[in-house]
Amino acid sequence: MSDDLVLVVEDSDSDIEAIARAIGRSHPDVRLEFLRSGTGVLDRLTADGAERPGLVLLDLNMPGEGGLDVVRQVRARPDLGGLRLVVFTSSEDQAEADACYAAGADSYIYKPINFALFQSVLSRTLDYWRSREPNVTHTVVPPPGDSSAQA
Amino acid sequence: MSEIDAGWAGTLHRLWSAAVAISSREQLADLVLPPLQRLPGVCAVWGLRHAVRGTAVVAYRWRGLPLTGERQALAAALAPAEAGPVRVLDPGDELRDLGITAVVAVRFDQPGTAGGSFLLAVDDTADLSFVSDCLAQVAGVTREAIRRLSGVRDEQQQQIRDALLAEASLQMDAVLDTEQTMYRVPRMAVPAIAEGCLVFVYADGKPQLRSAVHVDMRRLDAMLRDPGAVERLATPGEHAQELRARGRVIGLLVFLFDRDPERIPPAAFLRDLAARAALAIDNSTLYEQRRQEVVRMQQHLLPTRLPGVDGLRLAASYTVGDRVLEVGGDFYDVVVRDNGEVAALIGDVCGRGVDAAALTGMARHSLAALLQEGLSPLRALTRLNARLHLDGSWRFITAGVALISADRRTVEWTSAGHPAPVLMRAGGPAGRAGGGGVPLGVLEVPKLKPTTLELGAGDTLLMFTDGLTESRDPDGRMFEDAALGQALDRLRDAGPQALVDDLSRSAAATDDIALLAVRRDDE
């Protein structure tokens, strides 16, 4: 699993741009890969030799298969166990949040309108899950970039 | 100026230019450590970041001799305890064994943010005076860069908090539903300002958890399964803000943090958010109470049940339009007369609110009592019209009475400006009966329109108020224009209760809708 790779499943051009800009600024060490629909996610994750992302950021409402479908598909695959699934949506329907959690989503995060808030929400979400990766223990969360300090 | 001096002057100039453009402390280490390492006689450059509070070192950076393992404790011990000028320290045996003859050290602090130290391990070729001067200059650049970073960070965090308050206010203003309001507050807060947020509302003096959101819901669920933990969370404290509205404490807004202390928002901001949330929750609670009062009052204006009548099946429904806070003026009733006739009445007082409600109650009871006494619909409606004139009411009432004969074969429909009822023939198409007449309260002598209808076995007379026919679909088309006919076709074989229930759901009610259906039993 690549902790520094985030798979973003999002169909909106403006949201794709905003996510790339936000994470690019807050976590320049994170690589982003985009899919525009939920339909290809399982194939992407299970392809031979495919690099496994540390986290999948999912829009909820997309044409074809949406975020909830992806959560269900991924959780039905034991070989994809431990993959962080974060639903990122502006929906205010609590029933949708409940359905996502019931299906096995790790986070259900509000997608704000304001960009500063948008960036902060994504940044905190990445910080939280990256600090809780399996096999990594932190008493104090170290800032990124340790490896580059060795000259 | 020597060649080295001139080179350093250029380096320092580049450092100052670059220091104002960096956006993180990580970039800062990459910027300032390499030039120090290139100074003659410098074997290693170590950078330490100190905790905001306490003596801990939270990050180690280095160039040259790696600052790992036990050397970290050595470096922490060598680092000056407080900020001050550059000093030259004894390197200790371990470093001396590596050829280090001195450590040139400086510590710099910046109020409210993590301070740092630089330690330069030098050998006997170093010009200690020159290295000390260079280090003092780099410490100056670093201190200024940290001050700028700190200012930028504070400004960004303030922007985020302002944006959050604005979006939270927008979200809370958008709903008047208590549950929704209590859900939206923590949903907005997580994870922008806290990893978790819980809403407790006091009921009978005890805090009850009404809503909880966490960036990691499974972790929260596990925590909430422990009743002791929930009790501890519901205790006012630094991160549990009181929800105070109109002078009363209505609950608690609890924040859970799992982040660097520097990123925890100030208490004043959390109080501000709690104050807004409290007002929104209180508003929606008051709205809900008032709404329930209106619904109860509306129910008092309508018959609690329709009478059982031989030869007929009766059904009624009442739908309150929109989520308005005023009692509507629609009414209906059914009375059985001594001679076996049945009078089904329906009406609509114009306007809403307490005055309309009082008139609605009067109109329904007057008409029902007069029809019960055996008066003809014409006379009963005329008496009601006279009463409205006597009271000087400016409100008018549309009303219709269906008097069904004792043998259930005919209906005398009398309309005072009321929408024409629908007559659904058993096994046949539905058609509109006659409307007409002028609403009561308009003319001194009422103008009423009687129509006689035949009621065959299985036929249904469907009476309603204009809330049904005038409701509009999202494209603005009135229900009466197309959807009513389609719905009636679809409901041809439905029982009377299913008919009125389905119709009331089919229309997008903006006004109240009263429906009253009378079906003659099959032979």
Side-chain angles (χ1 to χ4, degrees):
Chain A
M1 190 189 307
S2 299
D3 188 21
D4 64 345
L5 177 64
V6 171
L7 178 63
V8 182
V9 188
E10 170 67 69
D11 66 313
S12 150
D13 287 337
S14 56
D15 283 355
I16 287 172
E17 189 278 329
I19 289 167
R21 184 152 47 103
I23 296 180
R25 284 185 191 175
S26 69
H27 292 78
D29 60 318
V30 165
R31 290 175 295 128
L32 296 174
E33 185 182 325
F34 291 93
L35 287 179
R36 300 184 67 98
S37 157
T39 311
V41 176
L42 208 58
D43 287 346
R44 158 64 186 83
L45 293 172
T46 55
D48 284 343
E51 185 182 5
R52 178 115 159 242
L55 186 147
V56 182
L57 192 66
L58 290 160
D59 186 19
L60 190 59
N61 298 308
M62 290 177 286
E65 287 171 357
L68 181 56
D69 298 313
V70 174
V71 174
R72 287 185 177 132
Q73 289 166 6
V74 170
R75 291 304 182 229
R77 297 282 301 246
D79 53 322
L80 296 174
L83 184 60
R84 304 289 191 202
L85 299 176
V86 173
V87 178
F88 187 48
T89 174
S90 51
S91 164
E92 282 302 336
D93 186 347
Q94 193 168 355
E96 287 185 317
D98 292 343
C100 286
Y101 283 125
D106 292 290
S107 286
Y108 187 87
I109 300 298
Y110 169 67
K111 189 188 276 181
I113 303 163
N114 177 282
F115 182 74
L117 199 53
F118 186 98
Q119 180 174 325
S120 173
V121 163
L122 282 178
S123 172
R124 296 281 77 77
T125 304
L126 289 191
D127 282 349
Y128 181 85
W129 287 116
R130 294 178 93 204
S131 73
R132 297 182 74 80
E133 282 304 318
N135 307 322
V136 180
T137 53
H138 295 294
T139 44
V140 173
V141 181
D146 268 2
S147 55
S148 65
Q150 297 168 47
Chain B
M1 186 183 282
S2 73
E3 196 176 320
I4 293 173
D5 284 340
W8 178 253
T11 300
L12 196 60
H13 181 72
R14 278 195 301 279
L15 280 182
W16 274 112
S17 306
V20 297
I22 59 167
S23 59
S24 77
R25 279 187 81 151
E26 296 317 306
Q27 293 173 316
L28 187 59
D30 291 340
L31 181 71
V32 299
L33 298 188
L36 288 171
Q37 193 198 3
R38 286 194 292 271
L39 290 172
V42 173
C43 306
V45 184
W46 293 347
L48 281 61
R49 191 188 306 169
H50 303 286
V52 178
R53 281 180 287 274
T55 56
V57 175
V58 294
Y60 296 89
R61 300 287 178 266
W62 65 89
R63 289 294 185 278
L65 203 58
L67 188 46
T68 52
E70 290 178 2
R71 281 208 196 106
Q72 291 188 348
L74 176 70
L78 280 170
E82 8 182 272
V86 175
R87 58 200 84 178
V88 178
L89 308 171
D90 184 282
D93 293 340
E94 188 186 327
L95 292 177
R96 211 174 346 259
D97 290 346
L98 296 168
I100 307 298
T101 54
V103 170
V104 186
V106 68
R107 176 168 177 153
F108 46 89
D109 282 337
Q110 182 68 43
T113 187
S117 293
F118 288 128
L119 302 174
L120 271 52
V122 300
D123 61 21
D124 55 6
T125 64
D127 175 347
L128 282 177
S129 170
F130 177 66
V131 168
S132 296
D133 287 349
C134 292
L135 183 58
Q137 289 163 339
V138 169
V141 173
T142 307
R143 193 164 41 236
E144 175 59 16
I146 291 172
R147 192 187 68 76
R148 293 180 71 99
L149 281 176
S150 172
V152 169
R153 194 194 60 210
D154 288 350
E155 195 180 320
Q156 281 172 345
Q157 292 194 348
Q158 186 60 45
Q159 270 180 13
I160 289 163
R161 291 195 289 267
D162 289 349
L164 186 104
L165 284 181
E167 283 209 28
S169 299
L170 207 65
Q171 288 282 338
M172 289 188 280
D173 287 350
V175 287
L176 270 171
D177 176 274
T178 315
E179 294 301 319
Q180 269 287 322
T181 306
M182 285 195 275
Y183 171 64
R184 287 187 182 205
V185 173
R187 177 144 161 70
M188 290 292 304
V190 173
I193 61 162
E195 276 61 44
C197 182
L198 296 83
V199 179
F200 288 91
V201 171
Y202 290 120
D204 300 325
K206 291 182 183 162
Q208 291 190 341
L209 182 62
R210 298 293 296 273
S211 174
V213 173
H214 197 281
V215 66
D216 182 352
M217 279 302 274
R218 274 191 283 276
R219 193 173 160 203
L220 181 70
D221 285 345
M223 193 194 301
L224 297 181
R225 277 196 288 274
D226 171 9
V230 177
E231 201 174 313
R232 281 193 297 281
L233 285 170
T235 309
E238 189 186 353
H239 296 152
Q241 295 290 332
E242 282 185 337
L243 289 168
R244 184 183 286 274
R246 300 180 176 90
R248 292 179 301 120
V249 176
I250 59 169
L252 279 176
L253 191 61
V254 178
F255 298 96
L256 305 176
F257 295 106
D258 188 348
R259 58 179 65 195
D260 192 332
E262 288 178 47
R263 293 198 178 274
I264 294 177
F269 167 75
L270 299 180
R271 268 199 302 279
D272 195 356
L273 185 62
R276 292 178 197 223
L279 203 58
I281 291 170
D282 201 43
N283 281 344
S284 56
T285 306
L286 292 176
Y287 180 89
E288 201 55 44
Q289 285 170 359
R290 176 99 167 81
R291 170 89 193 148
Q292 283 170 11
E293 285 168 7
V294 166
V295 169
R296 278 203 300 278
M297 188 168 171
Q298 193 83 62
Q299 285 164 351
H300 287 307
L301 292 175
L302 298 170
T304 49
R305 53 189 291 193
L306 297 175
V309 181
D310 285 344
L312 295 175
R313 287 166 68 196
L314 307 173
S317 84
Y318 196 100
T319 307
V320 179
D322 268 348
R323 289 183 62 80
V324 288
L325 271 186
E326 289 184 315
V327 185
D330 292 7
F331 63 90
Y332 60 81
D333 208 343
V334 176
V335 295
V336 184
R337 291 152 57 117
D338 291 343
N339 63 2
E341 291 173 331
V342 173
L345 60 101
I346 189 162
D348 182 0
V349 175
C350 75
R352 307 185 69 86
V354 176
D355 292 346
L359 200 55
T360 303
M362 188 276 281
R364 174 194 149 207
H365 286 288
S366 300
L367 272 181
L370 293 169
L371 290 164
Q372 178 85 65
E373 289 299 310
L375 262 68
S376 70
L378 214 61
R379 285 194 62 198
L381 290 165
T382 303
R383 287 275 291 275
L384 179 58
N385 186 69
R387 183 60 197 249
L388 290 174
H389 265 280
L390 191 67
D391 291 346
S393 169
W394 61 269
R395 290 177 190 274
F396 58 85
I397 301 175
T398 72
V401 177
L403 185 66
I404 300 142
S405 62
D407 65 4
R408 313 294 182 237
R409 289 173 185 274
T410 55
V411 177
E412 186 189 324
W413 166 254
T414 308
S415 167
H418 197 79
V422 167
L423 189 57
M424 298 172 75
R425 295 292 182 196
R432 294 293 286 272
V438 173
L440 306 174
V442 175
L443 303 172
E444 197 166 342
V445 177
K447 190 175 173 190
L448 305 169
K449 175 73 192 271
T451 313
T452 301
L453 307 166
E454 282 188 18
L455 197 63
D459 288 355
T460 305
L461 182 69
L462 178 68
M463 292 159 273
F464 44 82
T465 53
D466 61 6
L468 177 75
T469 46
E470 293 180 4
S471 66
R472 290 176 187 273
D473 67 15
D475 296 329
R477 279 175 310 205
M478 288 214 288
F479 189 68
E480 188 173 23
D481 290 343
L484 177 61
Q486 291 162 8
L488 290 172
D489 279 348
R490 181 166 48 81
L491 296 165
R492 187 179 295 172
D493 299 322
Q497 193 63 54
L499 172 69
V500 295
D501 288 346
D502 194 300
L503 274 177
S504 62
R505 281 195 301 271
S506 301
T510 48
D511 193 4
D512 290 7
I513 298 174
L515 284 156
L516 178 58
V518 177
R519 175 168 299 176
R520 188 184 149 192
D521 284 345
D522 294 332
E523 294 293 346

